Amino acid sequence: MVALSWLIWLPLLCGALAWTVEKRFQGAGNWITLSGLIGMLLLVLYLGSLGESTLSWDWFARFNIHFALWFDGLALLMVVLTIGLAILALAVSWRDITLHQGFFHFNLMFSIAGIIGVFLAADLFLFFLFWEVMLLPMTALILIWGNENRRYAAIKFFIFTQASSLLMLVAIIALALEHQTQTGQLSFSLSALANLSLDSVLEWWLMLGFFIAFAVKLPMVPLHSWLPDAHTQAPTAGSVLLAGILLKTGAYGLIRIVLPLFPDASMQFAPIAVTLGVLSIIYGALMAYSQTDFKRLVAYSSISHMGFVLLALFSWREVAFQGAILTIVAHGISSAALFSMAGIIQHRIHSRELGDMGGMWANAPKMATVTLIFVMAGIGMPGLANFNGELLTLLGSYQTFPTHTIVAALGIIWSAVYGLHLFQRAFQGPMNTDISDLHGREVVYTSLLILALFYFGLQPHILLELSADTLNNLLEIAKEHRP
């Protein structure tokens, strides 16, 4: 279906148009970008109403590489999340970006095109291309519009991502050559590669190449150190994209590539992966509590929450898989919401330090109430989206790894500690600063985020129905390969 490709071309065109028009008409870039994102949202909802669809064009015919896209329920879910949080990223930066505004919109939309490409790619070479496309504009967002140590953070982000991407590229080439060995033809198609019969040693090393690349983006301890710096130094829009969407590409890669292509190796590797997931949960929670920087605290909390996804996926249980999907979406919304609040506060008081805040409830009750709801979502309050994901993750993982799951449950307790610590330091106690409350535009998008958290908290079946086919496929693979 040709319309499927417009989910990639449209953000590129709108970004280029915003960059061009902004030079003559200041502020036009915001409206062009917003119009493009709304158009993309309508298009993806239309495609979703048609059901699963595919697109395949010959690209490098000599190497049997295709421009192949695959749109199913899981892809619909991730693309809608991407576009929704892209609109949030635009909203929080509507008036904050004053330097090279047109170029900012170009990089924002270029990054969105790469992310959506990752979620749609059905060819591993194309997947790698989009994986790299995500890297460059996100590095530019940090480097040009970031905070005081933006150069260090941008270079660190680039090196971590690029180094791990090279491992994935080696694994992709080796997998394609193995397909040629077995069938006489190179192939990068996900569906074709899933039918290969791999030697156990080769499967292990190929799985590890992909796993490291996705674990860096997730991120997983000890491959996480780029994240706190990138989040802290990125502009608010960059932090929203990083936490809300880019981290989810790592989890998506595990679901779409690692588990279905390398099931035997993944099951053998599961105890190690689950241990690293639990380590990420506990380490991230403890480090979050020790932070005095608002954005850095939320960044470490993201490491902790994404550890639950790693625990769930490598437990190979239906309920755990469902918990992973719910956690991916819920964390995308709640973490982006908290970073948007951090940006709102930083724009007003020009500081991210909790010590420079305090007592803000008196002057900004709407801001305090909204932040409290986002904090409650982050710590897993029943009725909000995060609770469902963490509950199902623990229930499902306990069937396979009971000891790891009991330790991981401590992360939920610590999330309450650092979450309430954040709120108490920022909004209660003696007043340290005079701050204005939320204005109209901020009330609108924070209210929409609250509605989304409550809606998916009370109606999680919508997310599970969209991802059901993908999860059922993983369960069938588990039945065939579980010892």
Side-chain angles (χ1 to χ4, degrees):
M1 182 179 292
V2 177
L4 194 56
S5 65
W6 279 101
L7 290 174
I8 297 169
W9 306 131
L10 191 57
L12 293 175
L13 292 174
C14 288
L17 181 61
W19 187 10
T20 303
V21 175
E22 184 70 36
K23 296 177 182 179
R24 296 188 176 184
F25 304 99
Q26 187 174 4
N30 284 328
W31 293 104
I32 292 173
T33 303
L34 179 61
S35 300
L37 290 171
I38 293 174
M40 291 167 61
L41 183 60
L42 295 175
L43 175 59
V44 74
L45 293 176
Y46 167 72
L47 292 172
S49 68
L50 300 179
E52 184 175 323
S53 58
T54 58
L55 169 68
S56 183
W57 296 333
D58 286 338
W59 190 13
F60 294 119
R62 181 175 181 179
F63 300 103
N64 199 26
I65 296 174
H66 296 82
F67 186 89
L69 305 178
W70 178 24
F71 185 77
D72 62 356
L74 180 60
L76 169 64
L77 181 60
M78 300 309 298
V79 172
V80 169
L81 178 66
T82 299
I83 297 172
L85 294 184
I87 294 174
L88 173 63
L90 176 64
V92 298
S93 60
W94 194 270
R95 294 180 180 174
D96 292 354
I97 301 297
T98 57
L99 176 68
H100 306 309
Q101 291 176 320
F103 192 50
F104 170 83
H105 291 112
F106 173 76
N107 281 281
L108 177 68
M109 296 299 275
F110 200 91
S111 179
I112 296 303
I115 294 168
I116 291 178
V118 165
F119 292 143
L120 297 181
D123 181 284
L124 278 184
F125 188 87
L126 185 65
F127 180 92
F128 177 77
L129 174 67
F130 286 127
W131 190 267
E132 291 296 291
V133 166
M134 292 191 305
L135 171 63
L136 297 176
M138 184 55 63
T139 302
L141 287 174
I142 299 171
L143 184 62
I144 300 174
W145 295 278
N147 297 310
E148 58 277 0
N149 293 321
R150 59 186 180 272
R151 290 180 178 83
Y152 170 78
I155 292 172
K156 191 173 184 179
F157 168 71
F158 184 88
I159 291 175
F160 266 79
T161 305
Q162 188 65 26
S164 61
S165 297
L166 290 177
L167 290 177
M168 180 168 65
L169 178 60
V170 171
I172 289 172
I173 294 173
L175 194 57
L177 291 174
E178 180 64 19
H179 187 277
Q180 184 180 41
T181 300
Q182 294 188 23
T183 68
Q185 185 180 33
L186 277 173
S187 179
F188 295 86
S189 168
L190 274 172
S191 57
L193 295 173
N195 296 322
L196 289 179
S197 178
L198 299 174
D199 174 77
S200 59
V201 176
L202 177 62
E203 181 179 352
W204 177 273
W205 285 108
L206 291 176
M207 181 278 299
L208 201 59
F210 282 101
F211 177 81
I212 292 174
F214 299 143
V216 168
K217 195 61 69 77
L218 199 61
M220 175 201 74
V221 174
L223 305 175
H224 68 286
S225 63
W226 65 270
L227 181 67
D229 294 313
H231 270 314
T232 304
Q233 301 305 323
T236 305
S239 295
V240 167
L241 292 182
L242 276 170
I245 308 172
L246 253 72
L247 305 191
K248 310 309 176 290
T249 60
Y252 184 83
L254 294 175
I255 296 171
R256 201 64 112 181
I257 297 175
V258 171
L259 299 185
L261 263 59
F262 315 108
D264 291 324
S266 296
M267 289 181 180
Q268 295 171 15
F269 187 69
I272 300 174
V274 167
T275 300
L276 292 172
V278 173
L279 180 61
S280 298
I281 292 169
I282 301 302
Y283 175 83
L286 293 175
M287 288 299 294
Y289 178 73
S290 66
Q291 302 306 308
T292 60
D293 184 300
F294 194 130
K295 292 181 72 174
R296 202 170 183 85
L297 186 154
V298 181
Y300 275 109
S301 76
S302 294
I303 296 173
S304 182
H305 286 295
M306 295 310 291
F308 282 98
V309 175
L310 196 59
L311 169 64
L313 292 178
F314 279 88
S315 294
W316 283 93
R317 297 290 179 178
E318 180 179 10
V319 176
F321 284 152
Q322 293 173 341
I325 297 296
L326 295 180
T327 301
I328 287 170
V329 176
H331 177 264
I333 299 171
S334 62
S335 63
L338 283 171
F339 276 115
S340 69
M341 298 311 300
I344 288 172
I345 294 172
Q346 182 181 359
H347 181 68
R348 283 164 164 77
I349 69 173
H350 307 292
S351 174
R352 301 182 304 272
E353 287 294 319
L354 297 178
D356 295 332
M357 301 175 195
M360 294 193 299
W361 188 300
N363 288 337
K366 289 185 288 187
M367 183 188 298
T369 302
V370 167
T371 305
L372 180 60
I373 294 173
F374 294 153
V375 168
M376 290 296 103
I379 68 178
M381 181 179 176
L384 295 169
N386 299 63
F387 171 78
N388 300 320
E390 293 174 356
L391 176 63
L392 294 185
T393 294
L394 295 177
L395 287 175
S397 300
Y398 187 82
Q399 301 175 52
T400 309
F401 298 101
T403 303
H404 290 79
T405 305
I406 291 171
V407 177
L410 298 176
I412 298 179
I413 299 174
W414 274 107
S415 70
V417 173
Y418 66 69
L420 295 175
H421 172 73
L422 164 66
F423 184 79
Q424 189 274 331
R425 291 284 304 276
F427 290 96
Q428 297 181 323
M431 185 183 300
N432 293 331
T433 184
D434 188 15
I435 188 171
S436 59
D437 209 346
L438 299 179
H439 54 66
R441 174 171 50 87
E442 294 166 339
V443 170
V444 170
Y445 66 71
T446 53
S447 297
L448 292 175
L449 289 168
I450 291 172
L451 288 174
L453 289 170
F454 274 106
Y455 182 74
F456 291 122
L458 299 174
Q459 301 289 332
H461 65 90
I462 296 174
L463 306 179
L464 298 180
E465 289 171 359
L466 287 174
S467 58
D469 290 342
T470 300
L471 299 188
N472 289 336
N473 179 54
L474 291 179
L475 292 172
E476 289 298 322
I477 293 173
K479 290 179 182 178
E480 295 175 7
H481 295 269
R482 183 175 283 124

